[in-house]
Amino acid sequence: MVLYQLSMSSSIETIQQTDKPIFVCDIDSVLVDPRKINALWLPGEPRSTELPADESATAEAYNMDLQAFYRAKDRFLQSQDALDVEPIKDSPDVLGLVAVFYTVVFASARVPAVHSHTLAWLEKYYGHEVGELQQDLRLFTIGNDATNFIDSKESIYAGFGAAAMIDDKKQHHLEAKRAGVGKRIYYQDANMGGTVRTGSTPKGSRLAATFKDVKKILVPKEFEDTVTTTASQF
């Protein structure tokens, strides 16, 4: 499998050659529950379900400055143990099905230091379902050309002319709307409190609390009963 490591301008030009619409997928709180990550490095080995879904609240509970919290988390994300954190239920299978109809682009606010490790995690859990259909996995993080630099999610949405996106942050839904993204999925996982944690769904976006909801929004109805998708099936 070829891992995507081109510059932003080259990446846009290459991906736009596909005949599929572009789907931009967030990572934290969408593909992975941050509580499962934090439970592995925070002192006392707390159960993930005992931690707040909001990381600023977690940092406060542990008397940590938020920046210091994220620096510690970033160090953990560069470890081998971080690769073993399982993704949110059904997300690999559903994204594999989505990849039949869309070119999937992963975009995250994670820092450059964890780019390669994040890409390795994506390859482990999404490489078969998504990567084999696309021939590669495409990840963009903040920083520089080596990490497929993004200065904002809006630049990704606009640059690719994205047709659809999924994100748990309201700010990114506003950016996607400005960029003309037609299908905007506001993902608020039921196991992390859903909209109780974040409030109402942004205007024009559609709420999803599970990846079965995501499938209903993005996948044509005649394929809704499909559970697992591989390249050989299509």
Side-chain angles (χ1 to χ4, degrees), residues 35-36 38-40 42-52 62:
R35 299 175 303 173
K36 290 187 176 181
N38 295 330
L40 294 175
L42 283 168
E45 299 182 352
R47 292 184 179 180
S48 61
T49 53
E50 295 173 348
L51 295 172
Y62 280 81

Side-chain angles (χ1 to χ4, degrees), residues 113-140:
V114 303
H115 181 90
S116 62
H117 296 81
T118 302
L119 194 52
W121 182 84
L122 288 170
E123 182 183 7
K124 178 176 181 177
Y125 291 105
Y126 300 90
H128 179 64
E129 287 81 358
V130 177
E132 287 192 10
L133 286 170
Q134 300 186 168
Q135 309 305 316
D136 51 41
L137 294 176
R138 293 116 175 186
L139 169 65
F140 295 81

Side-chain angles (χ1 to χ4, degrees), residues 7 20 22 79 87 97-98 114 116 128 136 138 166 177 195 201 211-213 229 231:
S7 68
K20 297 178 184 178
I22 304 297
S79 71
L97 188 55
V98 169
V114 303
S116 62
H128 179 64
D136 51 41
R138 293 116 175 186
I166 184 170
K177 185 177 181 179
T195 54
T201 303
F211 264 81
K212 290 182 179 179
D213 295 336
T229 304

